[in-house]
Every structure is written in structure tokens, then in C-alpha cells.
Amino acid sequence: MYNATTLSNFATSLFHEEENPAHLYDTLDFSSLSWLEKQWAAWYIFVGNPVLATGLMSFILHEFVYFGRCVPWMIIDSIPYFRQWKLQPNKIPTAAQQWECTKLVLLTHFTVELPQIFLFHPLAVAFGMQTFQVPFPDLKTMALQVALFFIMEDAWHYVAHQALHYGPLYRRIHKLHHKYSAPFGLAAEYAHPLEILILGMGTVGGPLLYCYLTGNLHIITMYTWIVLRLWQAVDAHSGYDFPWSLHNIFPLWSGAEHHDFHHMAFTNNYSTSFRYLDFIFGTDNKYRAYRKRVAEEKAKARAAAHKELTKAESDAIEAKLMAAAEAEGIRAEKEAEKGDWNAAFKAKTQ
């Protein structure tokens, strides 16, 4: 896929400053631009070096969006009122756990993600992506591209995530992310550096492949995709399922209710954004059986009591079944660590 021209463009953009954006804007009619497009051009002119301008903007955006999205969940965790929507209400992250998670996330952001982010501009240019150019693409084009990136990333994550549950890969890489059986927002990027690289390929690789094949992608669309992907990842690890959560409106969406089971039971639900791949390939059978059993046990209890269950009674039934699912998950984790691929596959589908 790489040809001599692509590699030459990458080397040139990596080691030499591109043509000064200010010069390229000389023939542009700024009066035709939107406010955001004017600020975009002004940023690249101010910094002067497109590689540095993109790197700084990308890293600041990532930190602002990730931690900005985590803070509301930290506040919600501290307010007992919201426990009624907590998927595992008996497991509230402590301040010590939040801080431990924050330290590792910051360490990986600065030592693993920051170098990759600053290398992204030359890589993007080598693949033909527009960066400092204005005007931006129209909203319809951006929306269709972002939707496609969600589908592409979900497929990559589904395959790669299952691979990370195989013995050596799980023991040495993915086990860190499974430290918390009841995840919380900050834990979305609590992961081994190699896991960040492997799963991050789905987030970045899909758009780069699309750009290489079509020659039609602006980095503003990439930023839009990254912002939405970060929100999705943090929300999926939040541990809360509200009546207005997206999966209750759009049933194909995974959401926290889907991913929380994966952390609690160790198995099933390997996708990120959507549920259909897990359903098609049978890697949500234990999850669906668990939800069915919860409903049946509650119905049985209502019939025996001849009345609606109180919230405490309903929660007690769920707590009992959660404990059983988590105990089974601990056994499944031990099997996965042994490195028996057949046993690991059976744990996923039987």
C-alpha cells in the first residue's frame, strides 16, 4: 500500500517544515470563511510549523475531551442519588482508585500517546489528508465519514479485543485493563501501552485507510471522530445505565450496560460501539442469558409475593446474580491466562 511517493512525502513532512501556511492563505478570501475556519487558519499562521500546530492542538484536544468527559462521571459517583442507575451499585470507585487510575492514564498520555500524536501530522499528510487547509468539508460529508469510521473501528476492536483475551496477550497486556470488574469513566484508557497501540490502530487506521483510498478527508473530520470516540469510550466505562442512555433509544448501540457485563463477567461483549457483531457471532450469549435470568427471577419473585417488588428486593436479586456472574468470570479469566485458545474460545461462546 505504501509506494515511494507516500514514503517520500512522510519523510519530507517529518523532517522538514512544510510550505508556510501563511503563504498558502495569500489567495484565500477570508471573508468567505466561517468564524471557526478563520480561527483555524489563524492558529496555523501563529504557530508557523504545521507539524507543531497539529501536534499541540491534537494533544490539548485529547486531554480536554477525555478528562472533561470523566469529571461529570466522577461527580455522579460521589452523589448517592445516582446509585439507582448504577449497574453495580455496591462497587463505587474510591478516591484512591480514581487517583491510581489518573496517574497511570497521565503517564501513558505523556509517554505513549504524545509521541504518536506529534507523528500524526506527517503521517496524515503522507496519506493525503488535509490539515491546515480551509474551508472545511460540508457537514453531510463529515457525518457520513464519521459514521463509517465508527463501523470500521467497531469491527477492528471486536477482533483485536478477542485476541487480547488469549493467554499470553491477556497476561502481559490486557489484564491491566481488567483490574476493575466494575469500571468507571477514568478507566477507559487505563491500559497497557501495547493495548493502546493495538486498539488505537482501529481509531486511527480506519480514517487513514479511507483517506488513502479516496483522497478525501480533512483533519477536522478526524477530530470530530476522535471526540465522539472518546466520549463513547468513557461513557461505556461509566458504570451507569440511565433511561435516556443512547442504547435505550438506538438498540444497536452498546453503551455502558453492554460493556459493564464484559468487565463483570470477563467474557462476551467484545465490540465497542455496536452490538450486532457480538450478536451475529454468538459472543453475547452469556450476556443475553444473564439478562433473561434476571428478568425471570424478578418475575418469579413478583408472582410469589403477589405484588410488585420494592427496589431493595429487586436490587437483592440482581446482586445475587451479579455475584454468580462475577465468580464465573474469575474462573474464565484463569482459563484464559493458561493460554489454551480452544478453552478461551469456548468461554466466549458457550
Side-chain angles (χ1 to χ4, degrees), residues 286-350:
K286 291 186 177 182
Y287 159 75
R288 287 186 286 114
Y290 169 78
R291 299 311 310 172
K292 181 180 179 182
R293 188 176 179 192
V294 169
E296 289 175 346
E297 290 296 320
K298 288 182 179 180
K300 189 186 300 182
R302 283 195 299 270
H306 302 290
K307 65 179 181 66
E308 288 297 318
L309 301 178
T310 65
K311 187 175 186 313
E313 291 169 335
S314 179
D315 288 348
I317 292 172
E318 288 211 38
K320 180 180 178 181
L321 295 176
M322 282 181 189
E326 188 171 359
E328 183 180 350
I330 293 172
R331 292 192 293 271
E333 181 181 25
K334 290 179 180 178
E335 285 297 318
E337 288 190 80
K338 292 178 182 178
D340 183 345
W341 180 260
N342 289 327
F345 180 76
K346 289 178 181 178
K348 297 172 190 174
T349 58
Q350 294 183 3

Side-chain angles (χ1 to χ4, degrees), residues 40 61 95:
W40 187 272
L61 177 71

Side-chain angles (χ1 to χ4, degrees), residues 158 258 261 267-270 275 277-293 328 345-350:
Y158 177 75
H258 194 253
F261 180 84
T267 188
N268 272 200
N269 300 359
Y270 296 98
R275 299 178 179 228
L277 289 176
D278 280 302
F279 179 78
I280 291 171
F281 294 104
T283 48
D284 67 346
N285 56 344
K286 291 186 177 182
Y287 159 75
R288 287 186 286 114
Y290 169 78
R291 299 311 310 172
K292 181 180 179 182
R293 188 176 179 192
E328 183 180 350
F345 180 76
K346 289 178 181 178
K348 297 172 190 174
T349 58
Q350 294 183 3

Side-chain angles (χ1 to χ4, degrees), residues 4-270:
T5 302
T6 301
L7 294 175
S8 176
N9 289 344
F10 176 74
T12 299
S13 59
L14 179 59
F15 297 109
H16 303 284
E17 183 177 339
E18 294 183 41
E19 188 173 0
N20 190 339
H23 174 68
L24 297 180
Y25 294 140
D26 283 348
T27 60
L28 187 66
D29 179 12
F30 275 77
S31 65
S32 66
L33 301 179
S34 68
W35 178 86
L36 182 58
E37 289 167 339
K38 291 176 182 177
Q39 305 312 307
W40 187 272
W43 168 253
Y44 277 95
I45 292 171
F46 171 74
V47 177
N49 184 311
V51 176
L52 183 59
T54 299
L56 285 171
M57 181 161 50
S58 300
F59 187 70
I60 292 170
L61 177 71
H62 181 274
E63 299 307 285
F64 179 80
V65 172
Y66 183 77
F67 289 105
R69 188 56 186 148
C70 287
V71 167
W73 292 117
M74 294 171 69
I75 295 172
I76 287 172
D77 275 329
S78 68
I79 302 174
Y81 171 76
F82 290 104
R83 305 283 160 78
Q84 60 187 303
W85 295 296
K86 178 74 172 168
L87 289 160
Q88 298 184 61
N90 295 326
K91 294 184 178 181
I92 307 299
T94 64
Q97 289 174 325
Q98 299 268 15
W99 176 234
E100 178 189 16
C101 191
T102 301
K103 287 189 292 184
L104 180 66
V105 168
L106 282 172
L107 179 64
T108 56
H109 281 189
F110 279 91
T111 60
V112 179
E113 296 187 21
L114 182 60
Q116 296 177 60
I117 285 173
F118 270 87
L119 284 172
F120 180 74
H121 180 98
L123 187 63
V125 171
F127 277 80
M129 189 182 299
Q130 292 185 313
T131 55
F132 56 77
Q133 293 87 345
V134 285
F136 298 146
D138 62 87
L139 292 177
K140 180 181 178 181
T141 298
M142 292 174 63
L144 290 173
Q145 290 173 342
V146 169
L148 178 62
F149 299 158
F150 264 110
I151 294 170
M152 295 173 73
E153 190 281 332
D154 190 67
W156 170 265
H157 194 105
Y158 177 75
V159 174
H161 189 183
Q162 288 190 75
L164 287 172
H165 272 253
Y166 170 63
L169 295 179
Y170 180 76
R171 286 195 307 271
R172 296 183 175 90
I173 301 175
H174 192 50
K175 185 178 177 71
L176 178 63
H177 185 66
H178 270 272
K179 179 175 182 177
Y180 302 106
S181 60
F184 47 95
L186 276 168
E189 292 190 351
Y190 185 83
H192 190 283
L194 285 177
E195 178 169 346
I196 294 172
L197 288 170
I198 293 167
L199 298 183
M201 288 175 64
T203 303
V204 177
L208 286 177
L209 176 62
Y210 173 87
C211 184
Y212 180 77
L213 294 175
T214 67
N216 178 31
L217 184 63
H218 196 290
I219 200 171
I220 190 68
T221 307
M222 186 75 177
Y223 282 166
T224 304
W225 152 239
I226 293 294
V227 167
L228 293 175
R229 175 71 179 94
L230 283 171
W231 273 54
Q232 180 275 327
V234 173
D235 287 6
H237 289 83
S238 68
Y240 288 87
D241 183 37
F242 297 108
W244 56 86
S245 292
L246 184 56
H247 85 93
N248 290 317
I249 302 168
F250 179 50
L252 287 180
W253 190 252
S254 293
E257 188 266 348
H258 194 253
H259 191 65
D260 200 87
F261 180 84
H262 175 78
H263 276 264
M264 178 180 72
F266 180 75
T267 188
N268 272 200
N269 300 359
Y270 296 98

